[in-house]
Amino acid sequence: MKNILLIATGGTIASKDNGNGLTPSIDVNILLDYIPVIRQKCHVTGISLMNIDSSNMDTSHISSISECIMNNYNDYDGFVITHGTDTCAYTAAALSYQLINLSKPVILTGSQLPIDVEKTDAVMNLTNAFIYSCEDISGVFLAFSEKLIKGTCAKKIKTKSFDAFESINFPYIATIRNNIVEYNINTFENIMTSGNGFHIKTDMCTDIAVITLFPGMNYNIFDYLNSSCRGVIIEVLVLEECQIIL
């Protein structure tokens, strides 16, 4: 059986109601107690790297995840990361670029409900993440609601539905049906083993801004951005085909 490392970072999946709302507080070993069947599929070790709400995730936390993977890389065949859903897609994208020459699966997952509440989606998502982590694939992926999504293409589009994430401009890598992984045949080249010499590069620039163009906006904001940021991402509506009928 393969050796898989679970890296817990907090999020809703590990939260409990302390009387003032949900707070990440469930230990990684307690998370594993909810999915005992997974120990029949792989050898599992858990690390509680941090226990934070994903809204508090920043670049230093993401770098810590990369460093944890690097420090344990030779001892494990795959990695599962539990993470809050609000920023999970950001972390998946960042890790995709920080983990260089990755030749093992790194699977992020989370849940819309805590793992200890009735009808939670956490048990299914965490179980599926381990199933994916035992596959002979490489790369960073997000496992959610039976789907496996490429780390750079995941986006949270729903706040309450269990089917919270979609793959943007790229097909799903795979789905799980009755504990069996079914791959999309058009994505094989994106999940094959990378080259040797795994290492990490954790430098990330935070002097950036994202703005959305809208009619009537004050373009003086660009004067401020020019003096404050090293880069600006402008979101605009692009029409592939526009036909005007008079």
Side-chain angles (χ1 to χ4, degrees):
M1 291 195 296
K2 292 190 175 182
N3 294 316
I4 306 298
L5 178 63
L6 172 61
I7 303 172
T9 69
T12 296
I13 192 171
S15 290
K16 295 183 74 69
D17 191 343
N18 63 3
N20 295 311
L22 293 175
T23 302
S25 56
I26 297 178
D27 181 76
V28 64
N29 292 312
I30 297 178
L31 289 177
L32 289 172
D33 288 341
Y34 283 92
I35 53 169
V37 67
I38 208 65
R39 295 188 184 276
Q40 301 174 14
K41 300 179 180 295
C42 57
H43 298 294
V44 182
T45 304
I47 294 177
S48 289
L49 185 62
M50 60 193 78
N51 222 352
I52 63 172
D53 188 285
S54 70
S55 62
N56 295 321
M57 184 70 64
D58 61 24
T59 55
S60 66
H61 295 117
I62 296 173
S63 295
S64 294
I65 297 172
S66 290
E67 291 166 1
C68 182
I69 293 173
M70 181 185 68
N71 293 336
N72 293 279
Y73 191 75
N74 294 328
D75 297 324
Y76 295 93
D77 302 301
F79 302 87
V80 173
I81 303 168
T82 53
H83 196 293
T85 60
D86 286 346
T87 58
C88 192
Y90 292 91
T91 298
L95 292 178
S96 297
Y97 294 106
Q98 289 193 6
L99 305 177
I100 300 172
N101 289 336
L102 182 64
S103 60
K104 300 176 182 182
V106 174
I107 314 295
L108 288 90
T109 194
S111 64
Q112 297 287 64
L113 295 175
I115 200 167
D116 65 347
V117 305
E118 187 178 2
K119 297 182 179 179
T120 180
D121 58 328
V123 172
M124 177 187 68
N125 288 342
L126 188 55
T127 300
N128 289 345
F130 274 103
I131 293 174
Y132 283 126
S133 72
C134 292
E135 293 288 294
D136 293 324
I137 58 178
S138 66
V140 179
F141 307 95
L142 173 65
F144 214 90
S145 186
E146 299 182 335
K147 302 180 182 71
L148 188 67
I149 303 172
K150 187 178 179 182
T152 53
C153 299
K155 182 177 182 179
K156 185 177 180 182
I157 60 166
K158 300 174 184 176
T159 59
K160 295 182 179 180
S161 172
F162 288 165
D163 188 19
F165 288 86
E166 282 193 2
S167 181
I168 305 302
N169 295 327
F170 197 82
Y172 294 114
I173 299 295
T175 56
I176 288 181
R177 299 283 187 259
N178 298 319
N179 294 326
I180 298 176
V181 178
E182 300 177 358
Y183 287 100
N184 185 326
I185 61 174
N186 297 317
T187 62
F188 282 162
E189 69 275 10
N190 292 277
I191 58 177
M192 293 297 102
T193 300
S194 299
N196 296 323
F198 170 75
H199 62 285
I200 64 174
K201 186 174 182 180
T202 58
D203 293 337
M204 285 187 287
C205 176
T206 57
D207 297 330
I208 62 173
V210 180
I211 65 170
T212 301
L213 294 186
F214 59 90
M217 72 178 297
N218 186 344
Y219 291 103
N220 290 332
I221 191 174
F222 287 101
D223 294 332
Y224 168 76
L225 294 175
N226 185 51
S227 61
S228 305
C229 301
R230 296 183 61 186
V232 178
I233 299 172
I234 303 175
E235 296 182 339
V236 298
L237 176 63
V238 178
L239 301 178
E240 294 184 0
E241 181 178 352
C242 182
Q243 182 178 12
I244 300 176
I245 302 177
L246 299 177

